[in-house]
Amino acid sequence: MRRRVLLAIVSATALAVALFGIPLAVVVRNLYRTQVVLRLEREAANAAASILTPGGGAGDLTELPTGGPARLAVYAPDGTRRAGEGPGRADITVRQAAAEATVQDGQVGRLHVVAYPVVVDETVVAVVRAVERTDEANVRTLLAWGLMALLGSGVIVASAALASWQARGVTRPLVGLGVAATRLGQGDFSARAEHSGLPEIDRVVTALGSTADRLDDLIARERSFSADASHQLRTHVTGLRLLLEEAAAATPSPALSGAADVVDRLESTIDDLLALAGHHRPAASLLQVDQVLGELRDAWAARFSSEDRLMVVELRPDAPPASARAAAVRQVLAVLVANAFEHGDGQVVVCAHDAGTGLAIDVSDEGPGPAEPAEQLFRRGDLGRPGRGMGLALARRLARAEQGELLLHRSGPAPCFRLLLPPQRNPAEP
């Protein structure tokens, strides 16, 4: 923006200087030419006066006064030169002065020419020709133009300096606004931009501060709610576990053991979701893919066995290291496996491998696949019935929070969902 402001002001100044300077340059050139013509007319008039006798007649045409800067010549009405310096025959300027009995001026080559008629009893008896080279007028014109160009350049340079100062005054508060907005986006709700004295920008500064205050209050209330919900959930889950343990001790059964396992997974899920919802995101760390896949296999083995179905978990040797939070990856895979178990059919395969740009974890089954369009699957509540679509929408948000992506890699029969995770990065990177 600073460059655009500077360019706009300097361009406008240069245009104004050109619009003013070019006509002025023409006027200056014409002024110096007029001065030369007036001087030549004056000398020619003095010479014409010396030709006239005291009685008003024509005197000797062969004598002219000398000493002026102009070169003078006298021509008879028939065009012959009678005295002075000039061509032997009259030029067009002299002939016009003789024919019209008026003073004529013009330029012949590099000479200014003035023809002054000598009139006696309304008859032209002679014409005085005064000439001067154009060099002096041209030099004076060029000097004037050079001075004008110097002044115009000075005006442009001064406008550039003023524009630079003005642009800094405008862009500095905008840079501060950008920094404050970035810090706000990173979760620093104490970020504030300084007031600049520019009403328009100060209104944005005030609005940004108000937004930061509202977000800080909203996050504080949500954090408080999360803490309260965590306490209440943990209390009831702990109570449920104690009841199941007492029941299992009194009457051991596979159902009670399975219920205890479900309670353990529920508590683990609560811990993961509360950790992911925390205000301060932990630093990126190397994902232990084998550990996450092992936990996933152990968590679902009993349920697949109860339905006489098979879940295969595979970690290929080419699987690259990836940076992501294990809690987020566990929850995304839990959603995908749950969907494959509930809505799919046959064998479920979880495979981690190299996707070329990072780690890919595919979850596929042998069912008919979803009937909805791919993008509709990931929009919250877009699947027509309350609660449907929430798991995939949450899973995609968790994947994107890890700079990854969740997509339907293969639709139709034997569908495949793919979780893409970025390659391992420096833990110090945000």
Side-chain angles (χ1 to χ4, degrees), residues 332-411:
V332 173
L333 295 180
V335 169
L336 297 180
V337 172
N339 280 349
F341 182 81
E342 295 175 8
H343 307 294
D345 196 7
Q347 177 178 273
V348 174
V349 178
V350 181
C351 178
H353 60 91
D354 185 7
T357 58
L359 176 67
I361 304 178
D362 292 345
V363 178
S364 61
D365 65 81
E366 298 174 342
E372 298 84 357
E375 283 306 313
Q376 188 177 350
L377 290 171
F378 298 100
R379 287 202 293 266
R380 188 183 184 95
D382 261 11
L383 301 186
R385 294 196 299 275
R388 289 208 63 196
M390 296 181 64
L392 287 175
L394 172 62
R396 171 170 277 188
R397 286 199 299 273
L398 291 175
R400 290 178 174 176
E402 303 304 310
Q403 280 71 56
E405 184 58 272
L406 177 62
L407 48 86
L408 179 60
H409 179 63
R410 184 176 63 244
S411 60

Side-chain angles (χ1 to χ4, degrees), residues 143-319:
L143 289 175
W145 284 359
L147 180 60
M148 292 168 56
L150 184 62
L151 291 175
S153 300
V155 170
I156 293 175
V157 170
S159 72
L162 178 62
S164 179
W165 173 78
Q166 191 73 17
R168 282 197 301 269
V170 173
T171 56
R172 188 183 298 112
L174 292 179
V175 171
L177 271 174
V179 172
T182 301
R183 291 173 56 192
L184 180 61
Q186 293 173 346
D188 182 5
F189 300 114
S190 64
R192 295 293 185 275
E194 295 182 359
H195 287 270
S196 62
L198 299 173
E200 296 82 359
I201 296 180
D202 286 346
R203 283 197 291 270
V204 179
V205 171
T206 302
L208 184 64
S210 300
T211 300
D213 290 336
R214 289 195 295 271
L215 288 175
D216 191 19
D217 179 66
L218 177 63
I219 295 298
R221 285 190 278 114
E222 289 187 352
R223 196 178 302 124
S224 176
F225 172 78
S226 297
D228 294 341
S230 172
H231 178 269
Q232 293 299 105
L233 287 173
R234 289 178 187 278
T235 299
H236 292 298
V237 169
T238 301
L240 179 59
R241 178 186 289 108
L242 292 175
L243 290 176
L244 290 173
E245 289 176 352
E246 291 177 0
T251 308
S253 70
L256 291 176
S257 298
D261 293 338
V262 172
V263 171
D264 290 338
R265 289 199 300 272
L266 175 60
E267 187 171 22
S268 177
T269 300
I270 293 172
D271 292 339
D272 284 346
L273 292 178
L274 289 175
L276 294 172
H279 179 59
H280 297 289
R281 178 180 175 177
S285 59
L286 180 64
L287 177 67
Q288 303 296 329
V289 184
D290 54 347
Q291 180 179 341
V292 172
L293 294 181
E295 293 174 356
L296 182 71
R297 181 178 54 246
D298 295 341
W300 286 90
R303 295 187 65 184
F304 274 89
S305 296
S306 66
E307 297 290 335
D308 292 327
R309 294 176 61 185
L310 181 64
M311 184 176 78
V312 177
V313 177
E314 179 184 1
L315 176 60
R316 293 182 182 173
D318 66 345

Side-chain angles (χ1 to χ4, degrees), residues 119-166:
V119 181
V120 176
D121 295 333
E122 299 183 357
T123 301
V124 176
V125 297
V127 176
V128 178
R129 180 177 181 267
V131 299
E132 182 178 312
R133 293 181 63 86
T134 59
D135 296 346
E136 180 181 355
N138 290 342
V139 168
R140 296 176 67 188
T141 300
L142 291 176
L143 289 175
W145 284 359
L147 180 60
M148 292 168 56
L150 184 62
L151 291 175
S153 300
V155 170
I156 293 175
V157 170
S159 72
L162 178 62
S164 179
W165 173 78
Q166 191 73 17

Side-chain angles (χ1 to χ4, degrees), residues 408-425:
L408 179 60
H409 179 63
R410 184 176 63 244
S411 60
C416 174
F417 286 86
R418 172 168 292 181
L419 170 63
L420 294 171
L421 295 173
Q424 182 181 8
R425 57 182 182 269

